[in-house]
Amino acid sequence: MNAKAEAIPRPAISLAGRLRIALRIAAMLLLLLACVPLYYLWRITRLHNPWPRLFLGGIAWIAGARVRITGEKTQGGAFLLSNHVSWLDIPVIAGASGSAFVAHSGLAEIGLLKWLCEMNDTVFIARHNRRSVHEQVASVRAALTDTGALTVFPEGTTSDGTGLLPFKSSLLSALDPPPPGIAIQPLWIDYGLDPASIAWVGEEHGLDNFLKLLARRKAIAVTVHFLDPLTPDETANRKTMATAARDRIITQMAQRR
């Protein structure tokens, strides 16, 4: 983090907010302790492993997210192209869909996060080497089950949730062409009328955003909108995919707001 970001003071959190943070972190740790042995047991038996989805969905609930779902994830394997607002997007989407994620390789340098991400089949990509995405995602394609999914955030960063940043087609290079039997489905994660209160933007530190959400008294209403999958014509190439997926989400935003 640069010096300018370090100079920004952390927002004050009330005593009640600190108590909520402590209780929620304790609940998350208890959930982790309960899910990890079950995850490895299911892994040994080679059964479909539901525990990453249950764990991440539980993390979202503990953090205060109250999730509603509209539409349906397409049957079979799917690559979900989603907007990105906060760290909370990941447990919310995972809980709603069982999805794995494409993440920046920097997360792989943080031991605990790397371990948790790997249990959910996260694919790490290097910021400076987008061309490697195709090869790295190929390993996840083989692991997708009939109800599996992999989420990509084509904006490449978080927005304030009131609109969409341009979709970077380079992030979709792994989907060009789409693998047989895998749908390309846009997804809009919607934090209602005040997404800016949730968003992780600007020079806010990730830890500050994490604590800010855990300190909240009010629940976080969030809707996961599964939109219509892209048609074959819309998946002709990665630029067409990026444009079509972004248009789908923008249209849904306009209809809802």
Side-chain angles (χ1 to χ4, degrees):
M1 185 170 56
N2 59 39
K4 183 178 179 181
E6 290 178 344
I8 296 175
R10 289 185 172 178
I13 297 176
S14 68
L15 180 60
R18 292 178 185 179
L19 179 59
R20 282 189 286 270
I21 289 171
L23 291 173
R24 283 171 167 157
I25 289 177
M28 289 176 179
L29 290 174
L30 288 173
L31 179 63
L32 178 64
L33 290 173
C35 289
V36 166
L38 294 168
Y39 166 82
Y40 283 110
L41 177 62
W42 257 251
R43 188 173 178 180
I44 290 170
T45 60
R46 298 183 182 275
L47 296 172
H48 170 67
N49 205 322
W51 296 105
R53 178 177 187 170
L54 293 174
F55 170 71
L56 288 168
I59 290 294
W61 190 88
I62 292 169
R66 299 298 177 260
V67 181
R68 188 172 72 92
I69 297 173
T70 68
E72 295 182 354
K73 186 183 80 64
T74 186
Q75 296 296 315
F79 284 100
L80 304 175
L81 308 186
S82 175
N83 64 313
H84 196 13
V85 180
S86 167
W87 63 270
L88 191 59
D89 302 347
I90 292 172
V92 166
I93 293 171
S97 68
S99 178
F101 295 85
V102 171
H104 292 308
S105 58
L107 286 178
E109 299 173 2
I110 305 173
L112 177 60
L113 282 179
K114 180 182 180 182
W115 175 57
L116 292 173
C117 289
E118 287 178 341
M119 284 196 288
N120 196 45
D121 294 324
T122 298
V123 178
F124 296 106
I125 60 171
R127 291 175 182 267
H128 60 277
N129 187 14
R130 298 298 186 195
R131 294 181 181 179
S132 69
V133 176
H134 183 83
E135 290 76 14
Q136 294 178 76
V137 172
S139 64
V140 172
R141 291 179 179 175
L144 287 173
T145 65
D146 289 341
T147 58
L150 176 68
T151 298
V152 181
F153 296 114
E155 291 169 294
T157 186
T158 52
S159 73
D160 66 3
T162 61
L164 284 181
L165 299 173
F167 277 15
K168 298 178 179 179
S169 62
S170 61
L171 293 174
L172 307 182
S173 59
L175 314 183
D176 189 6
I182 301 297
I184 310 297
Q185 184 171 22
L187 180 153
W188 175 34
I189 185 161
D190 172 16
Y191 290 100
L193 298 177
D194 188 23
S197 66
I198 307 300
W200 175 18
V201 292
E203 294 179 338
E204 182 182 27
H205 194 283
L207 178 60
D208 291 338
N209 186 264
F210 176 74
L211 296 177
K212 177 179 74 176
L213 298 193
L214 295 194
R216 285 174 59 106
R217 178 177 60 84
K218 293 183 178 179
I220 301 170
V222 53
T223 304
V224 177
H225 301 271
F226 290 102
L227 307 181
D228 291 338
L230 302 188
T231 66
D233 287 344
E234 292 172 327
T235 61
N237 56 64
R238 57 189 174 88
K239 291 186 177 180
T240 303
M241 279 186 246
T243 299
R246 189 172 186 274
D247 287 348
R248 284 270 210 294
I249 297 173
I250 286 176
T251 298
Q252 184 74 2
M253 283 181 165
Q255 291 175 351
R256 294 282 295 179
R257 294 175 178 170

